[in-house]
Amino acid sequence: MGQHKKVRKAVFPVAGLGTRFLPATKAVPKEMLTVVDKPVIQYVVDEAMEAGIEHFVFVTGRSKHVIEDYFDIQFELEQTLRQRNKNAELSLLSGLLPKAGTASFTRQQEPLGLGHAVWCAREIVGDEPFALLLPDMVMRAEKGCMKGMIELYEQSGGNVIAVEECAPDQAHKYGIVGVGETIGSGFRITEMVEKPAKGTAPSNFFINGRYILQPEIFHILESQERGAGNEIQLTDGMLKLAKMQDFAGYHFRGQTFDCGAKDGFILANVAFALARDDIRPTIEDEFKALIAALK
């Protein structure tokens, strides 16, 4: 097993407008919508913390200052909690925050796509590998997705992409990878195809929104031409990087909820609520009754 430069930093692109959740997102960033009692972005940051990430880089946009405020101490609230001896609540809040000086925020001034958002983090990330976590994708598993990816990275080096299996007849809806030789808990990626035509997909493994990338991606994105949607596409940049560096796929076997879509967001709330011992006893029968009423 070779020695690879440690993955210390994670990038979170949180500049999106969240138009699929209007009117709520007119005033509240979509990343701050709550799954049970935590904002969506907290679940993703927790996943990065579990994986040992030391520095959290948020690529924000206009009207996203609420996210920066959330990852800071709120003096008035904490002072009130102390006065009322709400020690459990104080401990909860302090445990959610990154350590002082380990969260950075930079602006994506124009909505030019995921590739452009990643490029905006280049000066903070510097010349080292980094994790990229799409904040819409909330995952649940015994071992966090990013933790498993870093374990695979320590074996494979290069770049790592998390993938999941879909029904073969649904592969045309996703970014699909080709499967090569086995590496630890994953495999060598032989190709990447964005939404392949029906019947042409190289596998049924789709990219699910978690990446470990080498810093050379920044140089590629800097001169990357605009692609689909007239945006700078990360996939286009990764295809160029794959000609120079290896890519491995980490097979994630947990649950993924796309909280950027209404159905995924609702399912996430139900799943995480039913997994809570303090909530399930009071809502389980009600959920069963609602489902029964649909029949």
Side-chain angles (χ1 to χ4, degrees):
M1 185 183 301
Q3 294 295 315
H4 308 291
K5 188 177 287 188
K6 185 178 180 181
V7 179
R8 302 187 310 111
K9 298 179 181 179
V11 174
F12 305 86
V14 293
L17 297 175
T19 54
R20 287 185 287 181
F21 277 92
L22 286 170
T25 47
K26 180 181 178 181
V28 180
K30 63 176 181 175
E31 298 84 6
M32 293 301 296
L33 298 176
T34 57
V35 172
V36 187
D37 54 5
K38 290 196 299 187
V40 168
I41 187 61
Q42 183 68 62
Y43 287 91
V44 184
V45 169
D46 287 347
E47 181 186 330
M49 286 183 171
E50 178 199 8
I53 294 298
E54 301 170 4
H55 194 149
F56 307 84
V57 183
F58 299 87
V59 181
T60 71
R62 287 181 293 278
S63 79
K64 295 297 184 99
H65 60 87
V66 174
I67 298 174
E68 188 168 352
D69 291 341
Y70 174 79
F71 287 107
D72 196 0
I73 291 173
Q74 190 177 92
F75 177 79
E76 294 83 359
L77 172 62
E78 296 191 8
Q79 183 67 17
T80 300
L81 291 174
R82 288 190 186 92
Q83 291 172 350
R84 297 178 180 178
N85 293 318
K86 299 282 189 178
N87 296 321
E89 289 81 357
L90 277 169
S91 178
L92 172 65
L93 291 178
S94 63
L96 297 176
L97 292 179
K99 293 180 181 178
T102 64
S104 298
F105 298 83
T106 188
R107 283 287 185 96
Q108 182 186 20
Q109 286 89 348
E110 298 179 83
L112 296 179
L114 177 58
H116 183 258
V118 172
W119 180 74
C120 288
R122 67 198 182 282
E123 296 295 339
I124 301 174
V125 172
D127 187 27
E128 57 183 284
F130 63 98
L132 170 64
L133 298 91
L134 303 193
D136 287 346
M137 311 309 289
V138 173
M139 299 179 178
R140 189 173 69 161
E142 187 173 340
K143 179 194 294 183
C145 183
M146 184 52 63
K147 183 175 182 180
M149 291 176 68
I150 287 181
E151 290 174 357
L152 175 58
Y153 167 79
E154 290 171 349
Q155 296 175 297
S156 67
N159 305 270
V160 179
I161 300 175
V163 296
E164 297 180 44
E165 290 185 86
C166 66
D169 62 356
Q170 299 296 305
H172 65 282
K173 298 180 179 180
Y174 304 99
I176 300 293
V177 302
V179 179
E181 63 185 281
T182 299
I183 309 172
S185 56
F187 54 84
R188 189 76 64 195
I189 289 176
T190 58
E191 59 181 309
M192 289 178 273
V193 185
E194 185 65 29
K195 295 183 178 179
K198 286 187 176 182
T200 67
S203 77
N204 65 326
F205 284 95
F206 68 93
I207 300 170
N208 73 359
R210 298 288 189 271
Y211 313 79
I212 293 174
L213 298 171
Q214 295 296 323
E216 286 77 13
I217 191 70
F218 294 125
H219 303 297
I220 293 172
L221 293 173
E222 187 166 8
S223 57
Q224 178 72 45
E225 295 181 358
R226 297 190 188 189
N230 199 33
E231 296 180 338
I232 298 173
Q233 298 291 338
L234 178 65
T235 301
D236 293 340
M238 291 194 301
L239 287 170
K240 291 183 178 179
L241 186 60
K243 295 177 181 178
M244 301 177 282
Q245 297 179 355
D246 288 336
F247 274 75
Y250 171 70
H251 186 185
F252 177 64
R253 292 178 169 86
Q255 290 179 292
T256 298
F257 302 94
D258 181 0
C259 290
K262 293 174 184 176
D263 54 352
F265 178 73
I266 293 168
L267 286 171
N269 270 279
V270 172
F272 279 90
L274 290 175
R276 292 265 299 262
D277 292 337
D278 61 328
I279 298 177
R280 179 168 181 159
T282 62
I283 64 171
E284 185 175 10
D285 289 342
E286 295 292 336
F287 272 125
K288 289 179 178 178
L290 288 171
I291 296 299
L294 297 175
K295 298 179 181 179

